[in-house]
Amino acid sequence: MVATDAPLVSQQLKRLARRVSLGLGRNGSISDNGSGDIFIAFSTANPGAAATDHVVDVKMLPNDMLAPVFAATVEATEESIVNAVVGRRIHDWDREPSRDCAAARSLRAVLKKYNRLNP
């Protein structure tokens, strides 16, 4: 599930939801036949856009400005998977070395080797 406050319309949200699979792929998922992967996205922008009793004004980002939103979705998906595996954000490991288990240290070494960690 992707939640954003970026002003996006339904077609843009569908495109955003598709980027989740890229974040999964960065961590090695192949989303096979039985995976049951379902991705949804919603925006908290445009409150009242679903009103049925009057015309509403809706704001949206131009399509040419969506690349950073797409990139953020991929990166957030990747980060949330690693966080779920090791129990905390990978970028916090350096600040809390006493909590690192061997598996977390090994995972961090692999992520670093393949340039998946931001300095």
Side-chain angles (χ1 to χ4, degrees):
M1 178 179 302
V2 180
T4 182
D5 62 354
L8 304 177
V9 295
S10 63
Q11 188 62 29
Q12 292 172 319
L13 289 166
K14 289 177 188 176
R15 294 176 62 201
L16 186 66
R18 287 189 205 118
R19 275 27 185 218
V20 172
S21 62
L22 296 173
L24 289 169
R26 281 181 155 184
N27 285 322
S29 174
I30 59 169
S31 295
D32 62 6
N33 183 49
S35 65
D37 296 337
I38 298 173
F39 312 123
I40 60 172
F42 68 91
S43 173
T44 59
N46 296 314
T52 59
D53 59 346
H54 62 278
V55 175
V56 296
D57 291 322
V58 175
K59 293 183 180 185
M60 66 175 264
L61 284 175
N63 286 330
D64 288 341
M65 293 179 66
L66 291 178
V69 181
F70 291 161
T73 299
V74 173
E75 291 170 10
T77 301
E78 180 182 26
E79 176 75 24
S80 68
I81 293 165
V82 172
N83 183 38
V85 169
V86 299
R88 64 193 161 132
R89 293 174 35 95
I90 58 177
H91 302 295
D92 292 339
W93 287 350
D94 288 335
R95 290 181 228 146
E96 302 178 48
S98 62
R99 290 187 172 181
D100 282 347
C101 66
R105 286 192 301 273
S106 296
L107 177 59
R108 190 173 201 293
V110 170
L111 291 171
K112 189 173 185 175
K113 177 180 177 181
Y114 291 100
N115 201 26
R116 301 307 312 148
L117 292 177
N118 296 327

